[in-house]
C-alpha cells in the first residue's frame, strides 16, 4: 500500500504507445496528473490528443496488441494498477472505477435488453440475486430520471432516445457506487439542450454520491461549471494544467488560448463564424523535434521549431508546456486587467 | 410478424411458377427430346408418341396443362422410369441427399464456427493464419477434385473407408467432401463478423464493467458476430439438402442430385420440372426461415 493522502488517482509519466504500420504512435507520452477524493478533473484537448487512451490505460482497457502501456505509474487508492493481474483489474472495473463513453448509441449492446445489461453489473460485483439486481436496476434508472422505469427496463437500447440512452449508461456506471467515474465525452453525441441536462445529472449525482469524476471533452465550454481543475492535452502531452477558474481567466499556453477562443459564446457575436485553431493536429507517429504545436501557433518563433519546450511552473497549481509560458501568462493577466 | 410470414409464403407460389416456366422453356428449346436418342424415328411412330404425350397440341395448351399440374403438385409419371411417378422418385431419393446434406451442414457449422471464433479471438496468431489458409484452400478446391482425392487416400491407399457404399462408414467421405467448402466459408464469415463486433464500442463497455472474457464473448459478442453467418447458412442448408450432383456422382449416392442429372440427360421433362419445383420451394422456405430468425437475433429488426 502506498500512502494516499486523500488522493484517489495519481497518474505519473504515463506512456501508452501503439504499434502501427505507420510506426509507433505515441498516443500518450508522459502524462502526469492527480485527482483528490470527491474532486472533478477535466481533461480537454482536440480529437486525437490522447484523452481516451489516457483513461482507457487507467482501466487497463488498451487493446494489446497494437497498444501497450510502456511506462509510468497508475496508482488508484494506493493500488498500483499496472502491477495487478487481469482478474484483479476486473474486480476494479465497473465496481470501483466506472466509465461512460461518448456514443450512447453504440456503447450499449443493441442485442440485449437494458435490464440484462444493468443487472449483470451488480450480479457480478455486488453478488445480487436476480430479484435484487432487477430492483436495484429500476432504482438506478429512476435515479437518473428515466420515467416509467419499471416498464422501460425491459426495452432494448434502440427504443430509447440518445439522451435517455446516455442516462441508462450513467445508471449502469453508477450502479455499484464507484469511487471514480470516468466520463469520456459523455455529451459530444447529444443535442445542446440534452447536453446540459446530462451534465447537470452528472454533477448532481457526483455531489450526492461523493464520486470523484474525470470529465473528458474536446469542448472547454463543457467543463467550465463542472470541474475543479483542468489538464489540457495535445499530441499525447499535457500542455497546460491549472485550476479551472485560473485556466479560463489567465491561460499560459497559446494552445489553451486557441481552445478558449473556439468555445461558442452565447452572450456575444451571435451568428458569427466560430473560431478554429488553424491547421490540423499533428501525426503523433512522426513528431517534429520542437514543440508539436509550433506549426499551428500564432506566436511561434525559431526556437519553438527546433527545441522541445519546457514544462514551466507558473505558480503552485499552474503549469504550461511552452517556451514562452511566462510571457503568454503575463499577456493573459494584462488582458484580464483591461476588462 | 405473422402477416409478414403469410405474405412471404404467398409470394413463394408465383416465384416457383416463374422458375418452372423458365425451366420448361429451356427444356423445350434445348435440342433433342426424350424419345429420340441419336437416331431418327419413322414419321408414323413419332406421330404416335407425340399424341400419347400430348405434344401434338398447341404450345400454349401444353404450357397450361403443365402449369396446372404443377399447381396441383402432380407431375405424372417419369418418362424414363415409367412405372413410378415423379413424386415417388423425389421422395425416394431425397432422404439420401438430405441425410448427407444435414450431416455435412452440422459438420461445416461445427468446424466453421469453432475455427472462425478462435481465429477472431487470436487474430494474427499461428492458428489464425493456419485456419484461414486452410479455409482459402477449402474454397478453391472444387468438390470433384476433393472427392476423388479423399477416395484415393482413405480408400485406395489406407483402406480405412469404403469408396462408395450406403453405410455409416461409407458416408463419411461424401459428408466431408460436401462440407469442406461450407466449413471454409462459414469460418471466414464468422471470423470477419466476430472481429467487427469485438472492436465495437459495446464490447469495450462490457469489458469496462469488469465482465470476464468468456461472458463478454458468449453474452455480448456472439450474437452480433454471427448475424452474417446466419444469412449464409439458410440458403446453404437448402443447397446441401437438395443434394449435389458432383458429390452424389463421385460417391454413387442414389440421391436427388443423381436422379436430376439422369433426368436432364434423358430429357425427362416431368421429372426435371418436379425436381426444380421441389428445390425452388425448399430454397425459398429456407430463405424465409433465415429472415424470421434475424428477427429473433436482432431486436432492431421488426417485420410489419
Ligand atoms: N487501437 C489503436 N490503434 C492505433 N492507434 C490508436 C488506437 N487507439 C488510439 N490510437 C491513436 O492514439 C491517438 C490518441 O487517440 P485518443 O486517445 O482516442 O484521442 P482523443 O480521445 O483525445 O480524441 C490517436 O492518434 C489515435 O489514432
Ligand atoms: Mg476520445
Amino acid at each position: 500500500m502506498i500512502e494516499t493522502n486523500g488522493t484517489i488517482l495519481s497518474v505519473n509519466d504515463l506512456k501508452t504507445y501503439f504499434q502501427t504500420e505507420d510506426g509507433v504512435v505515441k498516443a500518450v507520452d508522459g502524462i502526469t496528473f492527480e485527482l483528490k477524493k470527491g474532486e472533478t478533473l477535466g481533461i480537454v484537448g482536440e480529437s486525437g490528443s490522447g484523452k481516451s487512451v489516457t483513461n482507457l490505460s487507467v482501466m487497463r482497457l488498451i487493446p494489446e496488441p497494437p497498444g501497450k502501456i510502456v511506462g509510468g505509474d497508475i496508482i488508484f487508492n494506493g493500488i498500483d494498477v499496472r502491477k495487478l493481474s487481469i482478474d484483479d483489474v476486473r474486480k476494479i472495473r465497473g465496481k470501483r472505477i466506472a466509465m461512460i463513453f461518448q456514443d450512447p448509441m453504440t456503447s450499449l449492446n443493441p442485442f440485449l435488453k437494458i435490464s440484462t445489461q444493468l443487472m449483470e453489473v451488480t450480479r457480478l460485483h455486488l453478488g445480487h440475486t436476480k430479484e435484487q439486481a432487477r430492483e436495484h436496476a429500476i432504482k438506478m434508472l429512476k435515479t437518473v430520471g428515466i420515467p416509467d422505469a419499471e416498464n422501460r427496463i425491459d426495452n432494448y437500447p434502440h427504443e430509447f432516445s440518445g439522451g435517455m440512452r446516455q442516462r441508462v449508461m450513467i445508471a449502469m456506471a453508477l450502479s455499484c457506487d464507484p469511487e471514480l467515474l470516468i466520463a469520456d465525452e459523455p455529451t459530444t453525441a447529444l443535442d445542446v439542450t440534452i447536453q446540459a441536462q446530462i451534465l447537470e445529472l452528472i454533477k448532481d449525482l457526483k455531489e450526492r454520491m461523493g464520486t470523484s469524476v474525470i470529465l473528458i471533452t474536446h469542448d472547454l465550454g463543457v467543463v467550465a461549471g463542472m470541474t475543479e481543475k483542468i489538464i489540457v492535452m495535445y499530441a499525447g502531452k499535457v500542455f497546460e494544467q491549472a485550476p479551472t477558474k485560473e485556466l479560463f481567466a489567465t491561460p499560459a499556453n497559446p494552445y489553451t488560448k486557441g481552445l478558449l477562443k473556439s468555445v461558442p459564446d452565447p452572450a456575444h457575436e451571435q451568428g458569427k463564424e466560430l473560431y478554429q485553431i488553424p491547421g490540423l493536429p499533428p501525426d503523433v507517429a512522426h513528431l517534429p523535434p520542437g514543440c508539436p504545436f509550433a506549426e499551428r501557433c500564432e506566436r511561434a518563433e525559431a526556437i519553438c521549431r527546433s527545441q522541445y519546450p519546457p514544462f514551466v511552473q507558473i505558480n503552485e497549481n499552474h503549469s504550461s508546456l511552452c517556451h514562452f509560458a511566462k510571457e503568454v501568462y503575463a499577456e493573459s493577466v494584462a488582458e484580464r486587467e483591461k476588462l | 410478424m405473422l402477416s409478414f410470414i403469410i405474405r412471404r409464403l404467398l409470394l413463394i407460389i408465383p416465384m416457383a411458377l416463374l422458375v418452372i416456366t423458365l425451366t420448361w422453356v429451356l427444356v423445350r428449346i434445348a435440342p433433342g427430346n426424350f424419345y429420340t436418342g441419336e437416331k431418327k424415328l419413322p414419321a408414323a411412330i413419332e406421330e404416335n408418341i407425340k399424341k400419347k404425350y400430348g405434344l401434338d397440341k398447341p404450345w400454349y395448351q401444353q404450357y397450361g396443362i403443365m402449369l396446372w399440374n404443377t399447381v396441383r403438385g402432380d407431375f405424372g409419371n417419369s418418362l424414363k422410369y415409367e412405372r413410378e411417378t415423379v413424386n415417388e422418385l423425389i421422395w425416394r431419393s431425397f432422404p439420401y441427399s438430405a441425410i448427407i446434406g444435414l450431416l455435412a451442414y452440422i459438420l461445416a457449422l461445427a468446424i466453421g464456427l469453432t475455427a472462425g471464433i478462435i481465429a477472431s479471438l487470436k487474430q494474427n496468431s499461428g492458428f489464425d493464419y493456419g485456419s484461414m489458409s486452410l479455409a482459402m484452400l477449402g474454397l478453391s478446391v472444387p468438390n470433384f477434385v476433393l472427392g476423388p482425392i479423399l477416395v484415393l487416400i482413405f480408400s485406395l491407399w489406407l483402406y480405412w473407408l469404403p469408396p462408395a457404399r450406403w453405410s455409416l462408414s461409407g458416408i463419411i467421405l461424401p459428408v466431408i467432401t460436401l462440407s469442406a467448402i461450407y466449413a471454409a466459408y462459414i469460418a471466414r464469415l464468422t471470423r470477419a463478423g466476430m472481429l467487427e463486433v469485438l472492436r465495437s464500442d459495446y464490447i469495450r463497455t462490457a469489458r469496462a464493467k469488469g465482465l470476464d472474457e468468456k461472458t463478454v464473448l458468449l453474452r455480448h459478442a456472439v450474437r452480433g458476430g454471427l448475424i452474417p453467418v446466419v444469412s449464409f447458412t439458410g440458403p446453404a442448408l437448402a443447397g446441401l439438402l437438395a443434394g449435389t450432383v458432383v458429390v452424389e456422382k463421385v460417391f454413387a449416392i442414389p440421391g436427388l442430385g443423381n436422379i436430376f442429372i439422369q433426368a436432364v440427360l434423358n430429357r425427362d421433362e416431368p421429372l426435371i420440372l418436379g425436381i426444380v419445383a421441389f428445390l425452388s420451394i425448399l430454397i425459398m422456405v429456407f430463405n424465409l426461415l433465415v429472415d424470421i430468425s434475424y428477427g429473433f437475433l436482432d431486436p432492431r429488426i421488426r417485420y410489419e
Side-chain angles (χ1 to χ4, degrees):
Chain A
M1 266 291 183
I2 301 161
E3 198 44 56
T4 56
N5 274 333
T7 300
I8 188 158
L9 177 70
S10 112
V11 170
N12 191 23
D13 200 24
L14 175 69
K15 292 184 173 147
T16 305
Y17 295 173
F18 289 89
Q19 212 72 44
T20 69
E21 279 163 27
D22 199 29
V24 180
V25 171
K26 297 183 176 178
V28 168
D29 198 19
I31 296 290
T32 300
F33 65 86
E34 208 180 76
L35 182 65
K36 297 252 183 273
K37 283 205 170 76
E39 208 175 40
T40 300
L41 168 74
I43 301 185
V44 185
E46 286 173 307
S47 155
S49 52
K51 308 180 296 290
S52 297
V53 171
T54 303
N55 289 282
L56 290 172
S57 301
V58 170
M59 295 277 268
R60 292 262 305 268
L61 279 171
I62 297 295
E64 187 182 337
K68 191 166 171 44
I69 302 175
V70 296
D73 299 315
I74 301 162
I75 311 294
F76 170 71
N77 261 329
I79 304 164
D80 187 341
V81 174
R82 280 192 68 196
K83 294 217 173 77
L84 291 181
S85 71
I86 191 67
D87 281 330
D88 288 333
V89 172
R90 283 197 193 108
K91 288 184 193 134
I92 292 183
R93 288 180 187 161
K95 180 165 198 281
R96 304 185 64 185
I97 309 179
M99 207 158 174
I100 4 180
F101 297 99
Q102 172 167 345
D103 193 347
M105 195 80 142
T106 57
S107 297
L108 288 168
N109 190 329
F111 302 110
L112 298 177
K113 290 176 182 169
I114 63 157
S115 53
T116 312
Q117 302 188 50
L118 282 161
M119 286 160 61
E120 66 180 353
V121 197
T122 56
R123 294 195 72 182
L124 174 70
H125 292 302
L126 306 182
H128 278 177
T129 63
K130 232 177 178 159
E131 293 71 33
Q132 287 172 319
R134 193 177 166 87
E135 202 175 308
H136 187 75
I138 293 172
K139 195 188 92 196
M140 288 311 299
L141 289 178
K142 284 183 177 159
T143 308
V144 298
I146 303 239
D148 197 18
E150 286 90 348
N151 293 313
R152 299 300 309 267
I153 187 168
D154 286 317
N155 285 159
Y156 288 94
H158 72 273
E159 295 169 287
F160 290 85
S161 67
M164 283 296 157
R165 240 176 259 153
Q166 197 60 297
R167 284 174 195 265
V168 172
M169 275 299 285
I170 294 171
M172 202 160 84
L174 296 181
S175 49
C176 296
D177 195 6
E179 294 148 71
L180 172 61
L181 173 71
I182 300 175
D184 190 346
E185 312 229 15
T187 60
T188 305
L190 305 175
D191 295 344
V192 186
T193 43
I194 312 284
Q195 266 189 30
Q197 291 171 13
I198 295 291
L199 288 174
E200 202 48 49
L201 176 69
I202 293 176
K203 197 167 155 182
D204 179 48
L205 290 174
K206 168 214 141 77
E207 273 156 22
R208 264 201 277 163
M209 302 173 85
T211 320
S212 311
V213 176
I214 296 179
L215 178 64
I216 304 171
T217 172
H218 65 271
D219 178 1
L220 262 172
V222 166
V223 288
M226 297 282 296
T227 61
E228 274 92 36
K229 63 184 182 191
I230 292 178
I231 66 175
V232 177
M233 285 188 67
Y234 185 75
K237 311 237 168 20
V238 175
F239 258 52
E240 185 163 9
Q241 178 164 5
T244 305
K245 281 209 180 85
E246 182 161 339
L247 189 100
F248 274 84
T250 52
N253 195 297
Y255 175 55
T256 312
K257 291 188 101 165
L259 289 178
L260 279 168
K261 254 165 96 179
S262 41
V263 174
D265 185 347
H268 323 239
E269 301 163 23
Q270 275 249 340
K272 208 180 132 189
E273 185 120 7
L274 212 54
Y275 174 80
Q276 265 202 326
I277 302 174
L280 289 172
D283 174 3
V284 276
H286 308 281
L287 284 179
C291 171
F293 187 61
E295 284 304 315
R296 307 169 65 191
C297 183
E298 282 175 357
R299 66 184 327 257
E301 293 182 21
I303 185 174
C304 300
R305 297 200 175 81
S306 58
Q307 272 184 40
Y308 192 77
F311 200 49
V312 178
Q313 187 111 28
I314 306 287
N315 59 43
E316 198 195 342
N317 298 317
H318 191 171
S319 321
S320 163
L321 188 81
C322 181
H323 286 291
F324 302 102
K326 291 231 157 72
E327 289 85 338
V328 176
Y329 181 71
E331 283 161 25
S332 295
V333 172
E335 277 168 34
R336 186 93 203 143
E337 278 161 2
K338 262 195 289 178
L339 289 178
Chain B
M1 185 73 171
L2 196 65
S3 79
F4 165 79
I5 296 174
I6 291 171
R7 252 185 304 129
R8 283 283 301 266
L9 281 175
L10 287 178
L11 201 63
I12 289 180
I13 297 168
M15 297 275 282
L17 289 179
L18 186 69
V19 173
I20 288 297
T21 303
L22 288 174
T23 312
W24 184 76
V25 170
L26 281 174
V27 172
R28 285 299 169 99
I29 62 176
N33 50 49
F34 76 97
Y35 54 87
T36 55
E38 309 294 286
K39 48 191 188 299
K40 189 100 184 74
L41 288 176
I45 294 178
E46 189 166 347
E47 206 62 24
N48 270 336
I49 292 175
K50 280 193 167 174
K51 202 169 233 152
K52 180 178 172 199
Y53 293 104
L55 295 173
D56 53 344
K57 298 192 175 103
W59 69 266
Y60 52 85
Q61 253 185 34
Q62 294 186 37
Y63 175 67
I65 291 167
M66 186 279 294
L67 270 192
W68 176 234
N69 288 340
T70 305
V71 171
R72 287 186 304 147
D74 177 9
F75 297 91
N77 282 29
S78 157
L79 299 180
K80 177 83 180 174
Y81 317 96
E82 285 181 318
R83 280 165 212 287
E84 284 181 282
T85 66
V86 166
N87 289 348
E88 279 165 0
L89 277 165
I90 290 176
W91 286 116
R92 181 155 61 79
S93 48
F94 177 61
Y96 291 99
S97 301
I99 287 171
I100 299 264
L102 200 62
L103 291 175
Y105 182 73
I106 293 168
L107 184 66
L109 274 181
I111 295 175
L113 290 179
T114 314
I117 289 176
I118 296 177
S120 73
L121 292 179
K122 301 189 188 297
Q123 200 192 352
N124 301 330
S125 66
F127 181 89
D128 187 16
Y129 288 125
S131 59
M132 286 307 126
S133 309
L134 208 61
M136 209 52 221
L137 194 71
L139 282 178
S140 43
V141 175
N143 278 341
F144 60 83
V145 176
L146 182 61
I149 288 179
L150 290 178
V151 169
L152 192 66
I153 297 174
F154 292 100
S155 305
L156 303 182
W157 288 353
L158 298 173
Y159 298 108
W160 285 358
L161 297 167
R165 189 196 314 144
W166 186 258
S167 66
L168 206 56
S169 56
I171 62 175
I172 292 178
L173 290 183
V175 166
I176 292 176
T177 309
L178 196 53
S179 72
I181 209 166
Y182 291 92
Y185 203 71
I186 290 171
R188 285 164 55 95
L189 279 178
T190 305
R191 177 179 180 273
M194 288 299 295
L195 277 182
E196 173 144 356
V197 167
L198 287 172
R199 269 196 292 265
S200 68
D201 288 353
Y202 64 83
I203 295 302
R204 188 182 54 190
T205 307
R207 292 205 173 105
K209 290 202 264 187
L211 299 173
D212 59 38
E213 283 304 301
K214 199 175 119 225
T215 313
V216 170
L217 180 75
L218 295 181
R219 194 182 298 158
H220 286 269
V222 159
R223 249 174 120 164
L226 293 192
I227 282 185
V229 182
V230 171
S231 56
F232 169 72
T233 52
L237 179 56
L240 279 169
L241 293 183
T244 54
V245 174
V246 173
V247 171
E248 291 186 4
K249 263 266 153 318
V250 169
F251 294 97
I253 294 160
L256 208 53
N258 228 334
I259 62 163
F260 188 51
I261 193 99
Q262 285 308 324
V264 172
L265 293 175
N266 294 334
R267 298 280 188 282
D268 193 340
E269 191 180 299
L271 189 52
I272 294 175
L273 293 176
I275 295 175
V276 167
F278 178 74
L279 292 187
S280 54
I281 290 171
L282 192 71
I283 289 172
M284 285 187 276
V285 168
F286 275 101
N287 275 330
L288 175 60
L289 289 178
V290 166
D291 286 347
I292 294 170
S293 64
Y294 270 150
F296 286 106
L297 276 175
D298 190 341
R300 288 167 299 186
I301 296 176
R302 283 280 167 271
Y303 297 112
E304 303 304 323

